[in-house]
Amino acid sequence: MPTYMDIHDIPGGVSAKDVADAHYKDVAIQDKYGVKFHKYWVNEKSGKVFCLCHAPDAESAEKVHREAHGLMPEKVIQVEPEMADLFMGAAETNSAGAALFPRGTQDDRDPGIRTILFTDIVESTSLTQKIGDEEAMEVVELHDAIVRDALKDLGGREVKHLGDGIMASFVSAAAAVKCAARVQNEIAKRAQEKTDQPVRIRVGIAAGDASAGG
């Protein structure tokens, strides 16, 4: 059954209790429409709520909301379950169904804000032409190892390998910045040690809520 994330935008903010009440109402009638709501992320200050569910189609998920409480989403997007877990993390939930920060308490609700980090080997095509396929692959493998080691140590999750770069997700913006600095420093050290393989990388960081990931 397809997986969907629906996105609610409630002007003026929303309380965690109100969202929990709405979730309970969804769960009470979801079987009627063949829907299964798994968890939700709530940003009380901004009024953003993101619900993750399995449903036959987007319309069925909307029908549950309409009948249960009338709070309709701004949009409903189909997502790949594996990508959703990589981007958001396979978060535990509290008793009300709200996603929690890793190792968080029942009140440590995750608002769904993520910082995305992108790496990119500068001019990878011309580098390959200059040093050859075999050495160019060594450069990519080195890049991947450096980035993945930094992700492991700083709590990042690899979302996608981009051929000559990596896309990763962080709960902590500070950790993403530390990761970027570490990767750049490690690549710079490598460039000094092996001048015949002049490799440079770009690192970009962007922060936003779950709707940016859809």
Side-chain angles (χ1 to χ4, degrees):
M1 188 180 296
T3 301
Y4 294 91
M5 178 175 284
D6 62 44
I7 301 163
H8 301 257
D9 192 351
I10 303 170
V14 66
S15 74
K17 181 182 183 304
D18 287 344
V19 178
D21 288 344
H23 179 71
Y24 285 134
K25 292 176 181 177
D26 285 331
V27 171
I29 69 163
Q30 62 184 3
D31 290 347
K32 178 178 177 180
Y33 297 99
V35 177
K36 173 66 174 177
F37 281 94
H38 296 287
K39 66 183 75 172
Y40 61 87
W41 291 261
V42 54
N43 188 324
E44 295 175 81
K45 185 176 180 180
S46 71
K48 285 289 186 70
V49 182
F50 316 99
C51 307
L52 193 69
C53 69
H54 282 121
D57 47 51
E59 291 74 19
S60 297
E62 290 180 324
K63 287 176 182 178
V64 174
H65 286 324
R66 184 177 292 110
E67 181 174 330
H69 46 66
L71 300 173
M72 301 304 294
E74 298 297 313
K75 59 181 175 179
V76 182
I77 56 176
Q78 186 171 349
V79 297
E80 292 295 329
E82 296 81 6
M83 289 298 290
D85 282 347
L86 287 169
F87 181 74
M88 298 299 293
E92 296 295 324
T93 63
N94 65 14
S95 57
L100 301 174
F101 282 121
R103 297 173 296 280
T105 69
Q106 290 286 298
D107 293 326
D108 289 332
R109 288 177 290 271
D110 181 345
I113 302 297
R114 294 293 181 270
T115 299
I116 303 303
L117 179 145
F118 297 89
T119 68
D120 172 54
I121 298 174
V122 176
E123 297 179 349
S124 59
T125 301
S126 60
L127 180 64
T128 300
Q129 293 172 345
K130 182 176 182 179
I131 65 177
D133 291 340
E134 186 173 338
E135 288 195 49
M137 183 56 65
E138 291 179 5
V139 170
V140 172
E141 290 173 352
L142 175 72
H143 158 275
D144 293 350
I146 288 173
V147 173
R148 286 168 177 157
D149 282 348
L151 293 177
K152 181 180 178 181
D153 291 346
L154 293 164
R157 290 183 302 277
E158 182 176 341
V159 176
K160 185 184 298 185
H161 191 276
L162 306 171
D164 60 353
I166 286 176
M167 173 184 177
S169 174
F170 288 82
V171 171
S172 166
V177 173
K178 289 179 181 178
C179 182
R182 173 169 158 175
V183 168
Q184 288 282 27
N185 289 337
E186 291 294 326
I187 291 293
K189 288 179 184 177
R190 166 60 167 64
Q192 291 174 354
E193 293 168 357
K194 197 161 185 179
T195 57
D196 59 326
Q197 289 182 354
V199 57
R200 294 182 298 120
I201 68 166
R202 288 183 287 257
V203 182
I205 296 175
D209 57 44
S211 59

